[in-house]
Structures are given as C-alpha cells and as structure tokens.
Amino acid sequence: MFRKGEVRYEPLPLPDRREMDDARMIAAARAVHEEMRTRHSVRDFSDRPVPGEVIAECVRTAGTAPSGANHQPWHFVAICDPAMKARIRAAAEAEEESFYEGGAGEEWLKALEPMGTAASKPHLTNAPWLVVIFAQRYGLTEEGERYKNYYVPESVGIATGFLIAALHRAGLSCLTHTPNPMRFLNDLCGRPDHEKPVMILVVGHPAEDATVPRAAKIKKPLDEILTICPDGDA
C-alpha cells in the first residue's frame, strides 16, 4: 500500500506457513481442480436473495491478491438496488445493440455464436447482485496528491480471479460481463474519472432451468496449455 515519506524494507518471518508432503500436494491440487471445474458461467439466475455479508467476504478475499508494489489498484462496487440494476441494464443493452448490429465486426460475432449471447441482458436485473470492478490508473493520498500505480491490468485481473473463485467456493454462480464502452459505469456508480471500469460480475444462484452453452464445456487439454521445461533448459 502506498505510503508517503520515508519507507524502508522490513522483512517479517513468513506467516501462515503450509507444509505438505508431495502426496498431499498432489491430492490438494487435484481437489482444487475438481472443485473449480464445477464453476460455470451462467446467464439464468434465480431471484433467491444473497446476503450482503457473503459478497463482502468474497471481496475481502479479492483484496488479498498480489499487486504491483502492493498498491492494490482496484475498487469493487456491489449493487443490489433494483432501480440501479435497471439503469445499468438499460445502458449496457444500448451499447450491446450497437455491438451486435455490426460494431463488433463479423469475425467477433461469428466467434460468439456458439455462446448464444445477444444484446438482451436480463441477467443484469434478475440476479441479486452486480459487482462492478474498477481499475485505478493512479492513486490519491488523503491530501489529494497523485501517486503512480504499477501493473494495474495484471493486478486487477488477479484480484478478479480471486473474487470469482471465492464466489464459487461460497456456492454462488457468476457471469463476467464487459459492455464496451463502459464509461457510463463511472457516473452510475459514483466513481472518479481516474478509475476505469473493467468488468461487471453478475452474481447469484442459478435458476432451476439454467443452461450453459455446450461449447463452453470444451476446454483445451493440459498438453496444449502447459510446457514443462526439462532441467537445465529453463
């Protein structure tokens, strides 16, 4: 976290040390995969309420993510107010209509066909929560002085991954939604101009008749996403 004045390095003994033998590590890694492979992006949400404390605790987890110089250049706006969700839906659908009417380009629209997406976004009002994620281009001290943030997209991306995993562990489903452009979210959420909205997470319980695109279940095999360099070649 940014601090004014003289700052020096103070090493601390590693807290929360975890020790596992190789067999337990392998079992733990497989268990994480088994849990995370049950995470699905859904667009059909029930109206079952979700306590705000659940959202807050998941955001607290996101706040533990690593970041450039530990500046934590993110802000999360959690929205449950129906009127505000309706305003976001109306603004998002206006942007999406131009997107699907040709603004995206033929190649992009063709790539989206197997996902079954369209300009209509009922999930933005059906789900109990929207979490808007903002990236802070720079920070401000209490006196209003600017300071530089580092590796902002990478840091916010990692925190978002933490949040999605935490929501899944809490028994919730979510959908990443990125209307383009998203500047309307600054005004709707009351956030300053130096914060860039990067994503809306739609959060809640899936509807009884929720579906997912068959194409979304096709994942690249491990040998396509992993290269292990032999000893001496790294």
Side-chain angles (χ1 to χ4, degrees):
M1 185 177 296
F2 177 82
R3 289 179 292 172
K4 293 182 66 176
E6 182 180 352
V7 180
R8 61 188 180 88
Y9 172 64
E10 298 179 35
L12 297 173
L14 177 64
D16 308 316
R17 183 182 295 274
R18 305 183 69 191
E19 297 287 354
M20 293 186 184
D21 59 28
D22 289 356
R24 288 183 63 202
M25 284 192 294
I26 293 170
R30 288 175 176 165
V32 171
H33 173 257
E34 285 301 306
E35 179 167 6
M36 292 308 297
R37 76 180 183 85
T38 66
R39 187 215 63 81
H40 306 292
S41 296
V42 301
R43 292 174 172 80
D44 310 305
F45 289 87
S46 77
D47 59 1
R48 176 183 167 185
V50 174
E53 185 177 359
V54 176
I55 304 300
E57 289 302 321
C58 290
V59 170
R60 191 198 303 271
T61 297
T64 69
S67 60
N70 194 36
H71 280 194
Q72 304 160 49
W74 46 63
H75 190 86
F76 303 87
V77 177
I79 301 162
C80 65
D81 176 61
M84 190 169 181
K85 289 192 296 180
R87 292 172 64 195
I88 289 176
R89 177 180 174 180
E93 287 184 337
E95 301 293 351
E96 293 290 300
E97 285 172 6
S98 62
F99 176 91
Y100 283 97
E101 288 172 1
E106 184 177 349
E107 183 178 0
W108 194 350
L109 293 175
K110 191 71 175 177
L112 286 172
E113 282 184 10
M115 297 296 104
T117 59
S120 178
K121 306 296 179 184
H123 46 266
L124 291 173
T125 47
N126 293 346
W129 288 94
L130 304 180
V131 180
V132 185
I133 303 165
F134 289 86
Q136 298 174 334
R137 294 185 176 92
Y138 57 84
L140 293 172
T141 66
E142 292 182 356
E143 294 78 20
E145 299 176 13
R146 288 190 187 188
Y147 60 85
K148 183 176 176 59
N149 286 330
Y150 304 92
Y151 298 104
V152 174
E154 296 87 348
S155 301
V156 175
I158 295 169
T160 300
F162 273 42
L163 178 55
I164 291 171
L167 291 167
H168 180 64
R169 288 293 305 270
L172 296 171
S173 294
C174 69
L175 175 71
T176 56
H177 180 57
T178 53
N180 185 28
M182 290 191 283
R183 293 300 302 179
F184 68 89
L185 289 167
N186 287 74
D187 290 337
L188 287 175
C189 297
R191 300 309 300 169
D193 288 341
H194 70 276
E195 293 187 356
K196 178 183 178 182
V198 296
M199 188 176 298
I200 302 172
L201 278 184
V202 187
V203 181
H205 295 282
E208 289 294 329
D209 59 352
T211 63
V212 298
R214 184 180 299 275
K217 297 304 298 171
I218 303 172
K219 304 299 182 184
K220 292 181 179 179
L222 186 61
D223 61 3
E224 286 190 22
I225 64 172
L226 172 66
T227 298
I228 298 180
C229 297
D231 290 345
D233 290 354

